[in-house]
Amino acid sequence: MLGNMPMFAIERIRIIKNYLLENKQVEVNQLSQMLSVSEVTIRRDLEKLEEEEFLTRTHGGAVLGSIKDIPSDSLSSNANESSHKDHTEIAKTAIQMINDGDVIMLTNGRINLEIARQLISKNKVTVLTNDLTIASHILEAQSAKVVLLGGDIDYHTKAVFGTLTINNLSNFFVNRLFIEADGISNNLDLTVSNIDMATFIKAAAKNANERIIVCTSSAFEKNSFYRAGLISDLCDKVITNHSLSEQYKNKIFNANIQLFSSIDLFEGRV
Amino acid sequence: MGIPKLELSNINKCLSDAFSLIDVSLDLYPGEVHALIGENGSGKSTVIKIVSGVLKPNSGVIFIDGSAVSIDSVSTAKLNGIHCVWQDLTLYPNLTVAENIFMEYPHSKKKLFTTVNSFKMYQDCTAIFNDFGINIDPRTPVGQLGFAQKQLIEMVRAYVSNAEIVIFDEPSAAFTSSEKDILFRIIRSLKKNNTAIFYITHLIDEIELIADRFTVMHQGKIIGTQSVSNTTKEDIIRMLSVPAGRNRYPKLNLPIGEVVMSVKNLSAANILSSINFEVHKSEILGITGLMGSGRSLLAQCLFGLTPTSSGSIELNGKKQKINSPEDAITKGIALVPEDRTASSIFGCLNLENNVTVSSLKRFQHYKYLHNQTMTAVTGSYINKLSIRPGHLDDLLETYSGGNQQKATVARWIMSRSKIYILDEPTRGVDVASKTDIYNSIIDLVSKGASVILISSDIDEILGMCDRVLVLAEGKITGEFQRKEATKEAIMYKSTIRSN
């Protein structure tokens, strides 16, 4: 956080630009908290940057790039496809860690949704989650027993957070917890884009036997705003993609954490 | 006990991010044999290198006879009366045995003329050989001797050096028991002459036989120094097996399938005898043991590289003859050998050829190779295993050890074998590549293949394997399921002879 010093507009705009270049999208309330200025000021800054065609404003935030830059959908759908592939790969490894009869918890996120989709191959699994999409998916597929935590619904993530959720959480103990991380920083801090989510993850990590972080390799070195803690305190295992940089493979192994790179090498089965 | 002959006081040395010596203090008295023990990478050799002037410490003081000295080169170490017998040989192969022994201490005829009195030299050499019971002709060129014999020559060299401090770096690794007897005779007579001796070893039995005190090292630190007379073997093992940190080896808890390979009563090369074990589908079977226990020999037998003298190998319940690597490969057995440079990579071939060489049949298109498919498939392996730099045309000899090893792993995974024998797959491999190799191993077993993981790294064995076999002197001395395997138990079985 940058403290309470008043900041010149030009400096603010530089920070916003850098943040967007790194993270591709941002929310107004995040920026207002980070830069200690009102949301109105941030909206004005974003407007100005939109005029420069640096970003496109969205509901409650902004995404990198001008709307004019992306006329055809070919590019974005390609990126979507490859990130979907990354998610499936990770989920495939995760599913092999789940035994029949387990009680697991899935925090909100797209990789964990993918894990929920693949649960169909398991028997008698109970899933605890704060993610409405995950809960409704399991409900439709009837692939497991599902317990949905209560609390304030966050519209952006379609998940519940807050004091209510955390109080609710203390009633449960799970075999395996899958934490989906938005980012993992250079010194192996788990970061997420929402303060409530950070608090939620810290609380969840205390109520599990085995804790597993799931995170695409592209999320490494991408810093989100809110720190949930060092991954060595939060988990025993990390599942990510094989394209993870050597630097991080080194760091994670040396931090005595099991690193699964969901490598899919052997063609077919024996 | 008086003033120590040699004393190291708070020596620190940083070698890399991953390894440094931390506050090492040791002393050595005249006429004493002080054993240094610890697993690979615990820092024993670094201590020796500092004492013998190969490495300079970052801080700390070395005292000889109570006064501080600075040992900044190998020659100052020699001037201070320190002689080190290295693991690797330092002999001149084209000179005779006696010439090698007296190389630094020549028998000059007269002071003025520096011609060598070779008659006296050979006479002295013969006398020494008779004293110790060494049966080698002093006039043989060293190049014609075997490895163990050459090492004996190195030992005799230490004896004639008249050094007051002698260091032996794992001297007995390649020795049979009669050669060990000779070594111990040399050490005893050095002791009698009041020589101070550092003795590095892996073998706990040897400590009891020869040492007065021992020091255990672990990760660059000293765990403790004790006198041998009031310590039992079990105590030594307990000191050695410092509990590992949290398990960092990726491991999936997969259901183990039916037996795919069973080895019955296998014996070979007068080393392995009555080896019996089974390997299951989707299982990682660990095999560990000290150097010379026959681990690699066993791998070679299973792959048809070394003929077996008796016993049989069954695959899926059917007796099979594996007389050559070709036999092994057609039956679905793959071997990643221990010595990468000598027996697995083709340094002068490019990356693509190295990776595809065992799977060329897959890319056969009429009488030709379908290059386009081959390149595409190879590219995907290179990408997934992060082989760097990773251009298909790169010569493999220019690659780092870790990347060469990953190319070998890629080669065999591409061949879609059923049983993978991996002999020390992560030795001399960087950490990032290690994680790639471990993840390839779990990929293999999750797809139904079986893995025999041979390793001297006990943490790796404990972290990766479903079941562990311990080899000692060519026999299986212990078998542990994953849940019951501990470092202590494995060390016990591999260092102590089972009667």
Side-chain angles (χ1 to χ4, degrees):
Chain A
M1 233 30 85
L2 293 158
N4 296 322
M5 277 219 318
M7 194 179 285
F8 292 113
I10 191 153
E11 177 63 6
R12 237 176 19 237
I13 284 179
R14 192 186 62 83
I15 292 175
I16 297 175
K17 275 187 165 176
N18 281 340
Y19 185 84
L20 261 175
L21 283 173
E22 205 179 321
N23 294 286
K24 315 291 184 252
Q25 61 173 36
V26 71
E27 279 163 52
V28 173
N29 63 348
Q30 283 178 348
L31 285 175
S32 120
Q33 281 188 32
M34 176 169 75
L35 302 170
S36 308
V37 292
S38 70
E39 295 197 3
V40 180
T41 317
I42 295 293
R43 290 223 169 77
R44 217 179 297 135
D45 290 341
L46 293 181
E47 239 168 77
K48 201 169 159 213
L49 283 168
E50 191 175 39
E51 278 164 28
E52 287 178 22
E53 297 188 354
F54 181 79
L55 55 77
T56 308
R57 283 189 297 151
T58 60
H59 178 75
V63 293
L64 181 66
S66 164
I67 198 96
K68 293 169 198 158
D69 293 346
I70 21 174
S72 75
D73 53 7
S74 65
L75 257 173
S76 66
S77 85
N78 244 343
N80 264 335
E81 222 166 77
S82 89
S83 82
H84 180 71
K85 209 171 140 251
D86 286 352
H87 294 166
T88 341
E89 254 177 35
I90 295 172
K92 262 191 196 162
T93 309
I95 211 82
Q96 300 197 59
M97 295 179 185
I98 301 173
N99 299 329
D100 290 347
D102 268 0
V103 179
I104 65 167
M105 174 162 172
L106 301 172
T107 66
N108 57 294
R110 293 188 40 209
I111 302 172
N112 275 342
L113 176 61
E114 202 53 50
I115 296 178
R117 284 203 177 111
Q118 295 188 22
L119 273 180
I120 198 89
S121 63
K122 298 281 164 183
N123 287 319
K124 294 195 171 155
V125 173
T126 307
V127 179
L128 183 66
T129 185
N130 66 326
D131 186 319
L132 273 68
T133 323
I134 290 178
S136 74
H137 180 87
I138 297 175
L139 191 70
E140 262 162 51
Q142 297 190 353
S143 50
K145 188 181 165 192
V146 62
V147 177
L148 180 61
L149 291 165
D152 298 327
I153 297 182
D154 174 66
Y155 285 106
H156 181 68
T157 52
K158 295 195 179 68
V160 295
F161 299 108
T163 329
L164 269 175
T165 319
I166 288 169
N167 288 342
N168 205 337
L169 192 64
S170 61
N171 294 323
F172 302 95
F173 190 86
V174 297
N175 295 127
R176 267 167 263 281
L177 161 68
F178 292 89
I179 302 170
E180 181 153 349
D182 290 343
I184 290 180
S185 73
N186 205 24
N187 46 354
L188 299 186
D189 260 325
L190 186 147
T191 61
V192 286
S193 56
N194 173 325
I195 182 113
D196 292 325
M197 205 189 290
T199 325
F200 174 71
I201 287 173
K202 276 189 223 171
K206 289 182 190 138
N207 295 352
N209 195 12
E210 183 179 66
R211 300 155 309 165
I212 302 145
I213 288 177
V214 291
C215 175
T216 59
S217 57
S218 56
F220 281 81
E221 223 158 350
K222 196 162 91 182
N223 291 336
S224 286
F225 279 140
Y226 300 102
R227 218 185 132 231
L230 280 174
I231 64 166
S232 51
D233 297 332
L234 288 170
C235 78
D236 317 292
K237 303 178 178 184
V238 171
I239 314 177
T240 180
N241 305 110
H242 63 79
S243 48
L244 182 68
S245 74
E246 275 175 35
Q247 184 204 348
Y248 277 102
K249 285 177 184 166
N250 260 314
K251 279 187 180 166
I252 296 176
F253 189 76
N254 287 332
N256 282 333
I257 296 169
Q258 298 184 28
L259 172 67
F260 292 83
S261 59
S262 13
I263 199 166
D264 176 19
L265 216 50
F266 192 89
E267 298 160 70
R269 292 189 65 90
V270 168
Chain B
M1 284 211 277
I3 306 168
K5 181 71 208 166
L6 172 74
E7 188 181 352
L8 308 184
S9 168
N10 296 316
I11 300 283
N12 286 284
K13 171 79 189 174
C14 178
L15 279 184
S16 70
D17 287 348
F19 180 78
S20 44
L21 279 189
I22 302 153
D23 270 337
V24 168
S25 297
L26 280 172
D27 50 14
L28 182 63
Y29 289 89
E32 177 194 41
V33 177
H34 189 151
L36 277 183
I37 51 175
E39 33 186 302
N40 291 335
S42 57
K44 298 166 301 199
S45 295
T46 315
V47 169
I48 295 315
K49 282 182 184 154
I50 286 174
V51 174
S52 55
V54 178
L55 291 175
K56 270 196 205 170
N58 298 124
S59 68
V61 195
I62 301 176
F63 297 93
I64 289 185
D65 293 324
S67 48
V69 289
S70 128
I71 303 178
D72 50 10
S73 70
V74 178
S75 51
T76 14
K78 273 197 181 140
L79 289 176
N80 281 301
I82 298 169
H83 183 100
C84 185
V85 181
W86 299 105
Q87 249 173 318
D88 305 312
L89 299 167
T90 57
L91 301 172
Y92 306 94
N94 50 344
L95 297 183
T96 66
V97 169
E99 281 165 342
N100 266 286
I101 289 176
F102 293 107
M103 176 54 81
E104 287 174 48
Y105 319 95
H107 288 66
S108 307
K109 258 185 178 156
K110 283 174 193 158
K111 285 266 147 80
L112 278 175
F113 304 100
T114 49
T115 46
V116 172
N117 183 347
S118 53
F119 175 75
K120 187 165 183 303
M121 181 177 78
Y122 286 110
Q123 208 178 26
D124 284 358
C125 188
T126 315
I128 294 170
F129 278 15
N130 286 340
D131 278 356
F132 292 124
I134 300 171
N135 191 15
I136 301 172
D137 179 2
R139 290 176 193 273
T140 328
V142 160
Q144 294 178 11
L145 301 178
F147 185 80
Q149 287 177 309
K150 285 182 193 162
Q151 270 206 315
L152 276 182
I153 309 286
E154 294 270 11
M155 309 296 156
V156 177
R157 256 184 154 184
Y159 178 75
V160 303
S161 71
N162 277 323
E164 293 176 310
I165 300 164
V166 174
I167 302 164
F168 291 100
D169 189 5
E170 286 192 45
S172 63
F175 282 178
T176 61
S177 62
S178 65
E179 287 150 349
K180 259 187 210 174
D181 289 343
I182 297 171
L183 167 66
F184 291 162
R185 248 173 267 154
I186 294 177
I187 290 177
R188 284 193 193 106
S189 63
L190 281 170
K191 265 184 81 160
K192 223 179 271 167
N193 299 339
N194 235 7
T195 312
I197 299 166
F198 265 133
Y199 189 88
I200 297 187
T201 184
H202 271 307
L203 302 169
I204 292 164
D205 283 334
E206 285 188 352
I207 295 177
E208 293 207 309
L209 275 173
I210 199 76
D212 302 301
R213 284 192 300 157
F214 68 93
T215 292
V216 177
M217 294 196 68
H218 180 71
Q219 292 182 350
K221 289 188 203 124
I222 287 184
I223 301 295
T225 301
Q226 283 186 16
S227 100
V228 173
S229 53
N230 44 29
T231 314
T232 64
K233 280 180 193 174
E234 285 73 15
D235 290 336
I236 302 178
I237 290 173
R238 216 163 294 136
M239 281 176 80
L240 266 174
S241 42
V242 180
R246 206 155 62 157
N247 179 11
R248 55 183 174 177
Y249 298 90
K251 170 79 185 160
L252 292 173
N253 190 14
L254 300 165
I256 306 280
E258 72 278 4
V259 174
V260 289
M261 177 191 244
S262 56
V263 174
K264 290 184 176 160
N265 241 333
L266 185 140
S267 304
N270 288 325
I271 295 172
L272 292 176
S273 67
S274 46
I275 301 285
N276 285 291
F277 66 91
E278 290 176 336
V279 188
H280 300 80
K281 192 179 170 78
S282 289
E283 181 183 41
I284 306 177
L285 174 68
I287 298 183
T288 188
L290 300 171
M291 209 178 127
S293 60
R295 340 178 274 242
S296 297
L297 184 67
L298 178 58
Q300 288 166 11
C301 290
L302 300 181
F303 196 62
L305 273 165
T306 304
T308 56
S309 44
S310 70
S312 64
I313 298 171
E314 288 178 8
L315 298 176
N316 295 316
K318 275 187 211 127
K319 214 177 237 188
Q320 299 284 355
K321 278 226 153 59
I322 301 174
N323 295 324
S324 66
E326 287 82 356
D327 283 354
I329 293 169
T330 37
K331 283 165 185 142
I333 301 173
L335 170 69
V336 173
E338 182 180 20
D339 186 349
R340 203 163 38 235
T341 352
S343 28
S344 88
I345 67 153
F346 300 99
C348 52
L349 291 184
N350 69 25
L351 177 58
E352 183 177 21
N353 290 330
N354 265 286
V355 172
T356 54
V357 68
S358 300
S359 322
L360 290 173
K361 266 239 145 63
R362 281 183 56 179
F363 306 110
Q364 189 179 351
H365 185 69
Y366 302 109
K367 277 183 159 178
Y368 309 97
L369 285 173
H370 200 281
N371 273 321
Q372 218 179 338
T373 334
M374 193 160 92
T375 306
V377 174
T378 313
S380 111
Y381 276 83
I382 291 171
N383 168 27
K384 285 179 182 170
L385 267 170
S386 317
I387 300 175
R388 306 266 155 77
H391 306 294
L392 294 172
D393 295 331
D394 294 341
L395 290 188
L396 209 60
E397 63 190 357
T398 62
Y399 275 27
S400 73
N403 284 301
Q404 290 183 352
Q405 188 70 311
K406 287 196 279 186
T408 316
V409 169
R411 173 195 300 166
W412 289 108
I413 296 187
M414 189 183 269
S415 77
R416 301 193 65 245
S417 304
K418 297 186 180 86
I419 298 168
Y420 285 84
I421 305 167
L422 311 176
D423 192 359
E424 299 284 1
T426 63
R427 182 190 283 172
V429 163
D430 58 286
V431 171
S433 302
K434 270 188 184 180
T435 66
D436 292 328
I437 292 172
Y438 296 140
N439 276 285
S440 310
I441 293 177
I442 54 178
D443 179 54
L444 286 174
V445 287
S446 75
K447 307 246 174 84
S450 311
V451 172
I452 300 176
L453 176 63
I454 301 175
S455 174
S456 52
D457 179 346
I458 299 182
D459 288 331
E460 175 178 292
I461 288 278
L462 288 173
M464 295 299 297
C465 300
D466 299 296
R467 195 158 51 95
V468 184
L469 300 178
V470 183
L471 273 182
E473 297 180 327
K475 292 189 184 70
I476 294 180
T477 52
E479 175 173 353
F480 302 97
Q481 295 296 326
R482 180 178 178 80
K483 275 190 190 140
E484 17 177 85
T486 62
K487 211 171 179 179
E488 239 171 82
I490 290 176
M491 282 202 178
Y492 189 88
K493 291 290 184 189
S494 55
T495 50
I496 289 177
R497 217 159 294 156
S498 63
N499 296 312

